[in-house]
Amino acid sequence: MTTTASRGSPGILASLKPYLEPAPIGALLLGISSGFPYAMIGATLTTRLAQDGIDKRSVTAFSLAFLVYNLKFLWAPVVDRARLPLLGRYGQRRSWLWLAALAVAASVVFLGVVSPQASLETVALAAVLVGVAGATFDIVIDAYRIEILQPRQLGVGSGMSQYGWRIGSVSAGAIALLVAASSGWALAYTLCAFLVLPAVFVGFWLGEPARHRDPIPVKGLGVALSSAVGPLAEFFRRSGAWLVLLFVLIHKIGDTLANLTVRLLLQDLHFSNEEIATYDVGFGFVAYLIGIFIGGMLYVRLGMKRAVLLSLVLMAVSNLSFAVLAHMGHNNDMLAFTIGFENIASGIGGVVVVAYLSALCNLSYTASQYALLSAAASVVGRLVTGTTAGGLIQSMGYVDFYLMTTIVALPGVALFAWMMHRGLVDRAIAEVDVRASA
């Protein structure tokens, strides 16, 4: 027995060691700060508006604030190239990291103090400001994360980043719900604003990323054009790049539609704030962590391509559980299963898909290219949610709506399987060292 235990211990320690290295821990902390602004204009704002009696069409229209995240590639080249005054002496990535953190904190506090009942338009403006600041924060956080990770750490780092994102999102959601119940939304949002601090700390701790590569300098009239077009031109020169972009555009439509409307379903099924906090926030958090752990194992055991394909299938099928919950009504056991299944599938997908998108980035244009890819990943689903989801739910009912979200997820699965078969997944990866480690 002693011999067996002693043999097993090194294996356990060896499997944990990659997660305890500075760069993956930094990715965890960066993820915490990245996740909370999303929650402020996502489920938390949806619950707040629904409780204030705002109609469904208006509530789902607020998801258009997320479209700012999908436009972030437009100003990501500025984050790659523009040197900030004063702060710029601390490095390109760190200076933008700290500036964006300040903008996020200020905009979140502003969103908390405005009242939906007094002026829905002002709330919309505040939500857009949080979206702009949060998207800029994401641009620099994603670039910083990719550049501090070695190629061998992409899977582990992506998993740790997803752990952090979920911790930040769940913490913000829980704080907002619990504090708002006793002290109001203004204090709740103000307390959440302090979640920018983990990313600020990482900038001081890990310094400017060692793998950061400045873009090749361009002089004269071509500077502005090169800054905007260069990262995109480099990406689209790769074999199969247009198909890769098409996959990125369509693979999360069903998942995004389901996730951005789930709080409306829970409200209409008369789940209380306590039940939502327990299951959607608390239980969902644990399930997501399990999914991330499974995703990391699948990434190592199956390799990146097969792990991505499996995650796409699971995310598509998980939407069926929402349809079953809508059919059954207020049922805590079914709610637990639905939230558990969806979050495990999302956790797996979060690790392997983020690792794939990270591997697609050229280190000379990390911020620009990851901004393009991550923005494209959910733009269609968010656009459909913000413009038609509320109307579709009212006309189709929740059951048919969630069945529809399952069907629209299938083309992304089929396209990635075909790309694997044709070798396009490997050929589109930018860096040779990443391709070798994948």
Side-chain angles (χ1 to χ4, degrees):
M1 292 179 64
T2 305
T3 303
T4 303
S6 62
R7 288 177 180 174
S9 298
I12 296 174
L13 293 176
S15 64
L16 291 178
K17 186 177 179 180
Y19 292 90
L20 301 178
E21 295 174 347
I25 293 175
L28 172 73
L29 297 174
L30 291 168
I32 292 173
S33 293
S34 176
F36 96 90
Y38 190 96
M40 295 292 92
I41 56 175
T44 300
L45 185 57
T46 298
T47 301
R48 180 183 178 187
L49 294 173
Q51 291 180 351
D52 281 351
I54 308 300
D55 65 273
K56 288 185 180 63
R57 288 181 184 271
S58 297
V59 171
T60 56
F62 267 81
S63 66
L64 290 174
F66 287 116
L67 286 178
V68 176
Y69 280 83
N70 301 110
L71 299 175
K72 62 186 179 182
F73 68 92
L74 295 176
W75 67 93
V78 177
V79 176
D80 262 334
R81 287 181 176 267
R83 181 178 173 85
L84 295 174
L86 300 179
L87 282 175
R89 61 182 176 175
Y90 295 104
Q92 187 71 8
R93 295 301 181 222
R94 292 201 297 171
S95 60
W96 276 97
L97 181 69
W98 295 333
L99 177 64
L102 179 62
V104 167
S107 60
V108 166
V109 172
F110 177 48
L111 179 59
V113 299
V114 295
S115 170
Q117 294 176 331
S119 175
L120 200 58
E121 293 79 10
T122 305
V123 175
L125 172 62
V128 170
L129 290 176
V130 173
V132 172
T136 305
F137 206 24
D138 269 7
I139 290 170
V140 65
I141 281 177
D142 289 330
Y144 192 102
R145 170 181 55 81
I146 293 169
E147 291 171 3
I148 63 173
L149 294 169
Q150 297 297 320
R152 65 178 177 80
Q153 296 175 315
L154 278 179
V156 171
S158 297
M160 292 290 273
S161 175
Q162 291 301 303
Y163 273 125
W165 195 96
R166 191 64 174 182
I167 291 170
S169 177
V170 168
S171 297
I175 290 170
L177 285 174
L178 298 175
V179 174
S182 59
S183 303
W185 290 104
L187 179 60
Y189 274 63
T190 300
L191 290 176
C192 289
F194 284 95
L195 288 170
V196 300
L197 293 179
V200 172
F201 168 73
V202 170
F204 285 104
W205 176 37
L206 295 182
E208 191 71 2
R211 295 179 73 222
H212 175 64
R213 271 205 313 253
D214 288 325
I216 298 172
V218 180
K219 298 180 180 180
L221 295 177
V223 173
L225 183 62
S226 174
S227 297
V229 176
L232 303 184
E234 190 282 331
F235 178 79
F236 287 114
R237 281 196 295 267
R238 303 179 206 167
S239 177
W242 286 101
L243 284 174
V244 171
L245 183 59
L246 176 61
F247 161 73
V248 174
L249 281 168
I250 68 173
H251 82 284
K252 281 192 69 176
I253 297 176
D255 190 60
T256 303
L257 277 168
N259 278 286
L260 291 181
T261 56
V262 65
R263 284 294 178 90
L264 288 177
L265 171 65
L266 300 187
Q267 286 291 324
D268 282 355
L269 294 181
H270 307 295
F271 287 100
S272 66
N273 277 5
E274 289 75 16
E275 288 172 323
I276 294 173
T278 298
Y279 291 100
D280 190 28
V281 179
F283 186 75
F285 172 68
V286 175
Y288 194 80
L289 297 186
I290 293 172
I292 292 173
F293 178 75
I294 295 173
M297 292 180 60
L298 292 176
Y299 186 91
V300 173
R301 298 289 180 88
L302 301 181
M304 182 176 65
K305 297 185 291 292
R306 288 190 292 171
V308 170
L309 182 61
L310 177 60
S311 74
L312 295 173
V313 173
L314 291 174
M315 286 190 290
V317 175
S318 70
N319 286 2
L320 291 175
S321 61
F322 287 109
V324 176
L325 176 63
H327 175 72
M328 293 181 64
H330 191 130
N331 185 302
N332 285 343
D333 291 337
M334 188 61 207
L335 176 61
F337 174 80
T338 299
I339 296 300
F341 186 8
E342 193 277 330
N343 279 276
I344 288 175
S346 294
I348 295 171
V351 172
V352 298
V353 174
V354 168
Y356 174 52
L357 297 184
S358 300
L360 289 171
C361 295
N362 183 311
L363 291 175
S364 293
Y365 309 105
T366 316
S368 302
Q369 290 184 347
Y370 194 86
L372 171 67
L373 295 168
S374 60
S378 57
V379 61
V380 178
R382 286 174 179 170
L383 182 61
V384 173
T385 301
T387 56
T388 63
L392 286 172
I393 291 171
Q394 289 180 337
S395 61
M396 300 173 63
Y398 282 110
V399 175
D400 289 342
F401 174 79
Y402 286 114
L403 290 175
M404 179 200 71
T405 65
T406 303
I407 293 171
V408 299
L410 298 180
V413 180
L415 177 59
F416 191 82
W418 185 82
M419 288 166 55
M420 283 179 59
H421 178 69
R422 297 300 297 268
L424 295 175
V425 175
D426 286 322
R427 277 182 273 168
I429 293 175
E431 303 291 333
V432 175
D433 55 356
V434 175
R435 191 179 306 164
S437 65

